[in-house]
Amino acid sequence: MSKNRRKIIAANWKMNLTIGQGKELVHNILKEKDLPCEVVFAPPFTHLSEIKKITSDRDKVFLAAQNCHHESSGAFTGEISTDMLKDMGVQMVIVGHSERRELFGDTGKWINQKIKACLKRNLQPIFCFGEKLEQREQNQHFETVGKQIKEGLSGLSEAQIQDVIFAYEPVWAIGTGHTATPGQAEEMHQFVREEISSTSSDQVARSVPILYGGSVKPANASELLSCPNIDGALVGGASLKANDFLSIVAAV
Ligand code: PGA
């Protein structure tokens, strides 16, 4: 697993696109031969093996799942284990996305177990956290994010934390068109680095990538990505169109 802080643009397709549409999208994006950063595709589970066939021979291109179960096998109808993902050639897993927390009841404890399961299988977790609108309005955004980070990293060694990709996604900015201002995002990313430092070390905090997510689009990408503590983006809506996604990648 790579341990360096680097620029990453990740595409979270959520529950969108057929396999054919997904393949066409990836083909169109990968027509760009000179990617300036790492690019991650997180399609639905059903698309992973087909998308892997297109991405496997490309440098700097990685495949992620959108979720996993923390047990390696067993009676968990409808779930997918990290062993199964590893078997398919997946390299990363989105863990703790706010839609999982809100709509499917993923708790801080589960998220921690999922992160541990990923790391055990050499899969890099893309660990998401972020406050809701009312928490920001009540000035509880730092407290909320601090708690989510502590829960997610609980029991992890410094070496393990070094392999985590962090993603700050304010819930009020996801799919709403309301992006955090570069100032709001940078301030939180700085705070996240301080939290990581207090859980591990300053060296680890400085060396992990922290992505921003929430209505990232071509029009706001360069402003956000030029902030010193923002190492990339986790993109939902705008990752479904090759031109939009490539403009965000180019903004790096
Ligand atoms: P959005 O989604 O870019 O559509 O706001 C981001 C995400 O949920 O990861």
Side-chain angles (χ1 to χ4, degrees), residues 10 12 14 94 97-99 128 169 173-178 213-217 234-239:
N12 176 11
K14 309 191 179 184
I94 298 175
H97 191 279
S98 66
E99 286 150 18
C128 305
E169 297 207 306
I174 296 178
T176 58
H178 300 296
S215 297
V216 176
K217 44 192 177 231
L234 181 52
V235 188
S239 73

Side-chain angles (χ1 to χ4, degrees), residues 45-65:
F45 288 128
T46 45
H47 301 26
L48 287 167
S49 59
E50 285 297 310
I51 302 299
K52 181 73 192 176
K53 289 180 195 160
I54 316 176
T55 57
S56 57
D57 62 344
R58 282 291 298 262
D59 267 0
K60 300 205 265 189
V61 178
F62 296 90
L63 191 63

